[in-house]
Amino acid sequence: MSILANKDTRVVIQGGQAGVNAARRMAEFCYLIKRPLSVEAFVYPPDAGKTNEIPYGSGLIAVPIYKTIAEATKNHPAINTSLVYIGADRAMKGGMEALDDSHIKVVSMITEGVPEKDAKILGAHARKLGKVFNGPSSIGIISAGACRLGVIGGAFDNLVLSKLYREGSFGVITKSGGLSNEIIWICSQFADGITTAIGIGGDAYPGTDYVSYLEMFENDPQTKAVVIVGEMGGDLEERAAEWYGAKKRRVKLIGVVSGFCQESLPKGMKFGHAGAKEGMKGEGSARSKSDALKKAGAIVPPTFGALGPAIKETYQEMLKSGQVKEIVEPTSLPKLPKTVEEAMKADEVIVAPLIRTTISDDRGDEPCYDGYPASELINKGYEIPHVIGLLWDKRLISKQEAEIIKRIVMLSADHGPCVSGAYATILAACAGIGLSQAVAAGLIMIGPRFGGAVTDAGRWFKYAVDNKMTVEDFLAYMKKNVGPVPGIGHRVKSLRNPDKRVKELVGYVKSLHIKTPCLDFALQVEQVTAAKKDNLILNVDGTMAAVLVDLGFPVDSLNGFFILSRTIGLIGHWVDQKRQDSRLIRLFDYLVNYAAPKRREVPPLK
Amino acid sequence: MAKVLEGPGMGLMKKWGIHVPNYVVVTSADELAKLGQANEWMKTSKLVAKAHEALGSRFKLGLVKVGLDLNGAVAATKEMIGRQVGSITVSQVIVSEMIAHKEEYYCAVKSTREGAEILVANCGGIEVESNWDRVKRLCLEVGQAPSPESLEQLAKDAGFTGPLTKKMADFAGKMFTCFDSEDAQYLEVNPVVTRESDGAFVALDAVTLLDGDAKFRHPDWNFAFAAEFGRAYSKEELEVMAVDSKIKGSVKFIEIPGGDTAMLPAGGGASVYYSDAVVARGGKLANYAEYSGDPPDWAVEVLTEKVCSLPGIKNIIVGGAIANFTDVKKTFGGIINGFRKAKADGKMKDVKIWVRRGGPREKEGLDAMRALKDEGFDINVFDRYTPLTDIVDKALQK
């Protein structure tokens, strides 16, 4: 047996994330004692109509979310308990809503910082209706082997260690949430564990006090003794003492009270829970409470440390008198399934990875590129081209190579607003499209006709060089198998009107006196093609491609150099339009050749 | 509980129809002189000047001056502003009119578990304190308002007769309305006096304690709550409070000068048991501290730095019960960072650290603490199998 929460308890949780976290803990307990999930519904208007997924064992249970308590209990008539996880300013309304629902008999409020008056109103309303209002600021209620309300009991391992999977003989009532677990633990170590433990909250006027719960424990034959953990302030402990001393009680009462340190502290200095305030005339001090409990016949250990032995002694007496029997623990208990991460850490599973990477890793305190920490690269003078080298070709390139890449990027960063990429970005920017989409619109233009010839040019120049082809053989091969040579030809530039970017790049690379077989071959191809037609010159794509192949970059990465460089320009165009607050662009009719059929009559639909 | 100084306290009473003397709260003598030109009562009435701070025994300290004219009040204000009393500097002075009166009474409303009780006595001032049995009470359930009859009966029980009965009943009724409407926890007027000029009951001095948790529904509470602590908060305490107000969960820190046992325990309940254990062992607390509700690690780190900076400490008690949901590894991570910083600043010499804790990820957290030994910390780490406050016994063993 137990009090307040048992196997028949069915729960609705009022509130958002904190409530979901509690439900997860409650599901762990349900799994441990092999009962179905006790949480049947949530009430949280912002998410009404959705579900919260609560892990139970290795599965997930979808628990519906409702707008009101009435909806929840209508759909789940077995609900008899509500846990309130609503903010302090709305907690009273939520608590009242739950108390006023005929299905609900117990309301436990977890919310902290609830105005005293609200707590009193809720408490009085519950008493009037013959219901229980527990809290505010309650950590929860747990009945061993039966039901857990809230996060009380802590992590799964602690539930097992504290033997909460089966009932013992001790009831527990605490104000402090942290100490509830400690007492449950002590009861399981020094005695046979608990029946029910209740956190009543540390406020000055908890909705239900020790006395009401003591009365319930007194009527629960399984509970043989009750441990109460008190604090200075208020008169709840004195009332408990009064109750205990009023007549012969079946249950033994063991109590400790904190706050003796106040006696040796400077006057006026107080701390602890909200309710831990001594009265104006010294009533409610730890000493007066402790004395009252002693006088009423309760067992009052002198310190918290002496509580364990006192519980042990009580238990031994109960064993001796035959009031309780030693409990044989079950040989096996359900183990909480591990998450994949936990199981891997424990070397229990092998997981086939979904993706494989060979270039970067940011699991540490900073990203590493091909193994080199980014900050170290910076501090040792490396620059952006080196990062490109590491991420695109997995090697630390030389200073000279870096300089070439830097120049390529600088030369290709932009080519004015009229080219396809920039124009597309500008068009998008003027339509109010955001940066990443507008730049993507420009990047989409990069293809066989605009900027996308670098990879192909590199591929065929490399093919020719690798196969030691002559220019003539190469041109013949291309004509037969491929078509126009990628990297050769320009719409406006020609031999007489050379592309300055090409001249610049070729000049620089040549000045370095490095081996450039591809570039040399490309320039020889230009000699032949430009002689046939003036504009069949080596264009900037072809030059970049030849140089980059010579530097050893993989052919498939070559378009990347153009995409990377031109992104700089595209971002610039977007920002430029934004800065000017440009208007939407619409094509003028006179820029369109309307070659569609003239207006005509639509024939009847057949 | 949040204490409110006289000025705003009287403001709330006035709001609910309770007669209070005319008053102003000023921060300088010049301001008072200027107000004196604008307000007729300041020129015609005798005045009282009081330091407007959360200080006890102001009379003895010379921080209450009575029977003044305006010039006298200006001079008194000049003298009081800036005076240092312990850790509190007087920054405000309340100047109010003196009410000529003969009789003094007492009235208070107090929060009780059931609701509230109204206290009335037909004596006031220091007389009521030595004649507490003359105070009569009317107990009310929460949500219940006192009837005019019950208030008159209360006044009669307290010994009021004739027309005074109704006046006291009315006054007590207004006090209750103020108490109930303003989410007060304690309202006391001592003395209530009969104004000679018109016979009205006037509240001469007010003690007002409000429920700070109800602030969200009182937009007109535009005053700061007074330190209810017997002294002003220190810079370090205020810094921890600032962190506390920003985070989920809480961190608390109060210095106790002269102690040598520093406290860094978890939980509002366990922290007091740890303090008790230190005192029971004959130790001297250097502070009170507490973190709870799974606070972020950086907040615990700030708290740790403050604790490690306490002068003359020999032991630090990093105690805690078995947490429900506070992540032990994470919060200990904050403490460890704080320890390392303190050590780097040369603060941890000859300081012994004592740890006991349980809860989510307790093994990882305790292991991380144990590893501090290798960094040269004098640290002793215990798990859930060592009873809660045993580390205090071990630390303070002679």
Side-chain angles (χ1 to χ4, degrees):
Chain A
M1 283 293 285
S2 54
I3 67 167
L4 284 168
N6 55 43
K7 287 233 155 145
D8 297 325
T9 300
R10 298 285 183 279
V11 182
V12 55
I13 294 180
Q14 297 172 262
Q17 192 52 48
V20 176
N21 292 342
R24 287 169 192 246
R25 290 287 196 205
M26 290 162 73
E28 288 181 5
F29 181 77
C30 292
Y31 179 76
L32 173 67
I33 64 164
K34 299 176 186 139
R35 70 168 272 181
L37 181 59
S38 54
V39 181
E40 300 211 338
F42 288 89
V43 169
Y44 190 59
D47 289 344
K50 299 180 189 164
T51 58
N52 284 323
E53 310 291 310
I54 307 299
Y56 180 91
S58 57
L60 279 175
I61 297 177
V63 180
I65 307 169
Y66 298 94
K67 203 170 171 190
T68 62
I69 289 279
E71 279 176 39
T73 54
K74 187 173 162 242
N75 287 289
H76 308 267
I79 287 174
N80 52 16
T81 300
S82 173
L83 299 185
V84 185
Y85 282 86
I86 308 176
D89 54 340
R90 290 159 291 125
M92 176 159 108
K93 201 164 158 275
M96 283 303 220
E97 186 187 349
L99 284 172
D100 284 334
D101 190 284
S102 62
H103 296 81
I104 291 174
K105 308 289 181 240
V106 176
V107 177
S108 187
M109 184 173 281
I110 291 77
T111 315
E112 295 188 358
V114 175
E116 242 177 62
K117 190 174 155 189
D118 298 5
K120 286 187 207 171
I121 292 172
L122 285 161
H125 194 60
R127 279 191 291 279
K128 197 181 85 193
L129 297 171
K131 299 183 177 185
V132 173
F133 174 73
N134 185 58
S137 311
S138 162
I139 191 70
I141 299 167
I142 189 164
S143 291
C147 182
R148 175 188 203 173
L149 300 175
V151 300
I152 185 171
F156 189 83
D157 291 348
N158 188 58
L159 301 178
V160 175
L161 284 170
S162 300
K163 298 172 186 152
L164 286 164
Y165 45 83
R166 52 94 184 135
E167 62 183 358
S169 308
F170 288 72
V172 176
I173 317 172
T174 72
K175 285 181 178 172
S176 156
L179 288 176
S180 62
N181 259 1
E182 191 68 28
I183 305 294
I184 293 170
W185 165 245
I186 291 175
C187 286
S188 73
Q189 294 305 294
F190 290 90
D192 63 353
I194 67 148
T195 51
T196 299
I198 306 155
I200 65 171
D203 290 7
Y205 302 108
T208 308
D209 60 7
Y210 293 125
V211 172
S212 315
Y213 292 132
L214 282 169
E215 196 73 52
M216 290 184 210
F217 277 129
E218 176 79 1
N219 293 322
D220 171 41
Q222 178 66 31
T223 303
K224 308 295 189 300
V226 180
V227 185
I228 66 172
V229 181
E231 293 176 354
M232 70 209 144
D235 62 355
L236 298 185
E237 291 79 3
E238 285 87 339
R239 286 178 189 229
E242 200 181 304
W243 174 87
Y244 194 64
K247 62 176 191 189
K248 175 97 186 89
R249 301 294 178 182
R250 186 186 58 79
V251 291
K252 282 204 155 48
L253 182 64
I254 304 167
V256 280
V257 182
S258 70
F260 285 93
C261 60
Q262 296 287 343
E263 292 172 3
S264 52
L265 288 180
K267 197 172 162 283
M269 193 175 272
K270 284 166 187 153
F271 40 65
H273 287 132
K277 298 279 186 287
E278 240 176 77
M280 319 260 159
K281 308 226 158 355
E283 78 268 14
S285 71
R287 195 161 299 279
S288 81
K289 286 169 184 294
S290 195
D291 289 348
L293 284 166
K294 263 185 231 167
K295 224 175 117 197
I299 301 161
V300 185
T303 61
F304 194 91
L307 184 58
I311 288 172
K312 185 171 183 176
E313 200 181 315
T314 308
Y315 175 63
Q316 294 300 336
E317 276 169 28
M318 295 186 327
L319 271 179
K320 224 183 258 168
S321 69
Q323 217 184 343
V324 298
K325 289 202 174 59
E326 273 201 71
I327 293 176
V328 183
E329 301 298 339
T331 46
S332 82
L333 287 163
K335 286 203 167 64
L336 193 67
K338 290 191 168 94
T339 64
V340 173
E341 286 95 331
E342 286 163 350
M344 286 175 78
K345 226 179 203 171
D347 283 331
E348 288 174 1
V349 288
I350 303 172
V351 175
L354 187 64
I355 62 166
R356 179 170 182 264
T357 178
T358 66
I359 56 168
S360 83
D361 186 344
D362 78 330
R363 288 172 300 174
D365 51 0
E366 65 169 319
C368 287
Y369 304 140
D370 202 38
Y372 301 115
S375 65
E376 214 175 305
L377 289 169
I378 292 170
N379 292 332
K380 292 193 171 158
Y382 289 92
E383 295 185 33
I384 292 170
H386 295 98
V387 175
I388 295 172
L390 286 171
L391 294 179
W392 294 11
D393 197 24
K394 290 176 58 59
R395 64 190 175 96
L396 262 184
I397 56 174
S398 69
K399 239 179 176 173
Q400 205 170 53
E401 290 170 298
E403 180 62 27
I404 294 171
I405 290 174
K406 187 183 95 186
R407 287 173 183 236
I408 287 174
V409 172
M410 287 174 76
L411 287 172
S412 330
D414 196 55
H415 208 181
C418 301
V419 296
S420 307
Y423 182 55
T425 294
I426 290 169
L427 211 54
C430 291
I433 303 302
L435 175 62
S436 54
Q437 294 91 331
V439 169
L443 291 176
I444 284 169
M445 297 302 132
I446 298 174
R449 295 185 175 179
F450 168 67
V454 189
T455 289
D456 277 347
R459 172 173 295 122
W460 294 118
F461 288 145
K462 186 170 188 298
Y463 180 81
V465 173
D466 286 353
N467 290 295
K468 300 193 172 65
M469 291 169 114
T470 62
V471 173
E472 286 71 25
D473 288 351
F474 175 66
L475 288 175
Y477 176 86
M478 293 300 282
K479 194 170 180 179
K480 188 168 171 233
N481 299 301
V482 182
V485 181
I488 296 288
H490 199 282
R491 267 194 77 164
V492 288
K493 302 287 180 188
S494 66
L495 263 188
R496 276 164 299 166
N497 173 25
D499 188 335
K500 237 188 141 181
R501 296 177 300 172
V502 173
K503 225 176 127 193
E504 174 67 37
L505 190 56
V506 172
Y508 177 71
V509 173
K510 282 280 156 207
S511 76
L512 298 174
H513 304 294
I514 49 175
K515 275 198 172 167
T516 55
C518 259
L519 180 62
D520 297 345
F521 183 78
L523 289 167
Q524 284 169 34
V525 171
E526 183 188 36
Q527 296 275 319
V528 177
T529 53
K532 287 181 189 159
K533 203 170 173 214
D534 198 34
N535 69 341
L536 289 183
I537 52 167
L538 180 62
N539 62 28
V540 74
D541 293 4
T543 315
M544 275 166 66
V547 171
L548 290 165
V549 168
D550 284 335
L551 292 186
F553 274 90
V555 163
D556 285 325
S557 75
L558 300 186
N559 270 348
F561 285 90
F562 184 79
I563 293 169
L564 173 74
S565 320
R566 190 50 58 92
T567 300
I568 299 172
L570 296 179
I571 292 172
H573 284 294
W574 185 88
V575 174
D576 183 42
Q577 297 305 318
K578 197 81 190 160
R579 190 168 39 224
Q580 301 173 55
D581 198 15
S582 299
R583 290 163 52 182
L584 182 67
I585 298 175
R586 194 179 187 285
L587 221 51
F588 296 106
D589 285 344
Y590 57 76
L591 290 177
V592 180
N593 173 5
Y594 289 99
K598 286 256 162 2
R599 184 187 168 116
R600 50 184 163 161
E601 199 180 318
V602 180
L605 182 67
K606 276 182 234 167
Chain B
M1 267 203 269
K3 188 172 181 164
V4 174
L5 291 177
E6 261 165 293
M10 298 222 286
L12 290 178
M13 292 195 174
K14 201 171 158 190
K15 179 178 162 193
W16 294 100
I18 297 164
H19 292 298
V20 298
N22 286 310
Y23 68 92
V24 289
V25 177
V26 297
T27 54
S28 74
D30 288 353
E31 191 187 354
L32 180 64
K34 229 171 167 181
L35 281 164
Q37 298 314 308
N39 290 292
E40 203 52 34
W41 64 268
M42 294 174 78
K43 287 180 238 168
T44 53
S45 313
K46 286 281 176 213
L47 303 174
V48 190
K50 299 184 228 175
H52 197 234
E53 301 292 343
L55 283 166
S57 332
R58 283 178 296 179
F59 214 94
K60 272 188 214 156
L61 292 165
L63 291 171
V64 178
K65 296 267 164 73
V66 298
L68 309 167
D69 61 7
L70 182 55
N71 286 335
V74 171
T77 302
K78 200 169 222 160
E79 196 191 307
M80 287 181 201
I81 295 272
R83 250 189 71 182
Q84 190 78 30
V85 182
S87 54
I88 295 177
T89 310
V90 176
S91 63
Q92 292 186 333
V93 171
I94 180 165
V95 176
S96 51
E97 66 176 322
M98 281 188 78
I99 303 286
H101 65 273
K102 288 201 182 81
E103 298 300 323
E104 297 195 337
Y105 314 116
Y106 174 88
C107 182
V109 188
K110 187 176 153 186
S111 179
T112 64
R113 177 166 158 65
E114 287 72 28
E117 57 184 12
I118 306 176
L119 287 71
V120 167
N122 78 336
C123 55
I126 47 166
E127 213 189 326
V128 72
E129 281 165 34
S130 46
N131 292 289
W132 201 246
D133 53 332
R134 284 172 69 183
V135 174
K136 300 297 165 203
R137 293 152 197 263
L138 173 61
C139 295
L140 298 160
E141 299 257 316
V142 66
Q144 183 195 359
S147 67
E149 297 74 34
S150 64
L151 287 167
E152 281 192 32
Q153 189 58 49
L154 173 66
K156 274 183 200 156
D157 290 349
F160 287 87
T161 53
L164 288 179
T165 312
K166 190 166 180 327
K167 277 189 189 171
M168 191 66 222
D170 284 352
F171 187 89
K174 283 176 182 170
M175 285 276 285
F176 177 81
T177 311
C178 176
F179 172 91
D180 194 46
S181 310
E182 295 293 339
D183 275 296
Q185 289 171 323
Y186 188 67
L187 276 191
E188 184 189 70
V189 175
N190 187 24
V192 184
V193 303
T194 321
R195 188 156 57 196
E196 279 187 352
S197 58
D198 60 356
F201 271 29
V202 180
L204 268 206
D205 203 352
V207 177
T208 310
L209 296 181
L210 301 177
D211 181 356
D213 285 334
K215 195 171 193 302
F216 66 84
R217 59 182 172 219
H218 296 282
D220 64 337
W221 287 4
N222 50 8
F223 37 80
F225 294 133
E228 206 194 325
F229 208 59
R231 63 164 170 83
Y233 291 114
S234 72
K235 184 174 146 277
E236 279 68 30
E237 289 167 352
L238 290 170
E239 280 173 26
V240 175
M241 280 181 204
V243 170
D244 185 52
S245 67
K246 276 191 282 219
I247 57 165
K248 171 188 81 86
S250 78
V251 289
K252 300 261 178 332
F253 180 68
I254 297 296
E255 294 174 54
I256 307 172
D260 56 11
T261 306
M263 307 303 285
L264 188 48
S271 58
V272 184
Y273 277 103
Y274 275 106
S275 302
D276 283 359
V278 171
V279 171
R281 266 271 165 186
K284 289 201 79 185
L285 294 166
N287 71 305
Y288 170 77
E290 179 257 326
Y291 63 93
S292 54
D294 201 23
D297 50 357
W298 64 265
V300 185
E301 184 179 329
V302 172
L303 179 65
T304 306
E305 283 179 69
K306 303 292 178 202
V307 169
C308 293
S309 304
L310 291 162
I313 54 171
K314 297 199 179 87
N315 292 292
I316 300 178
I317 307 293
V318 186
I322 297 165
N324 289 289
F325 63 97
T326 295
D327 184 324
V328 175
K329 187 186 179 207
K330 190 187 75 179
T331 44
F332 272 15
I335 293 179
I336 289 169
N337 285 342
F339 281 162
R340 285 185 180 140
K341 272 193 194 162
K343 188 159 186 279
D345 295 345
K347 279 175 190 157
M348 301 295 278
K349 279 181 201 125
D350 305 319
V351 176
K352 286 188 165 65
I353 303 167
W354 302 86
V355 181
R356 189 273 183 187
R357 185 69 160 141
R361 298 216 285 170
E362 59 188 39
K363 192 180 173 302
E364 293 98 314
L366 292 166
D367 284 347
M369 280 287 185
R370 276 189 203 103
L372 285 182
K373 234 185 183 125
D374 303 337
E375 297 177 30
F377 285 92
D378 187 348
I379 186 165
N380 301 278
V381 181
F382 300 89
D383 61 12
R384 57 165 68 215
Y385 291 96
T386 298
L388 190 79
T389 53
D390 279 19
I391 53 167
V392 174
D393 301 342
K394 292 177 203 289
L396 300 183
Q397 231 159 32
K398 292 280 147 40

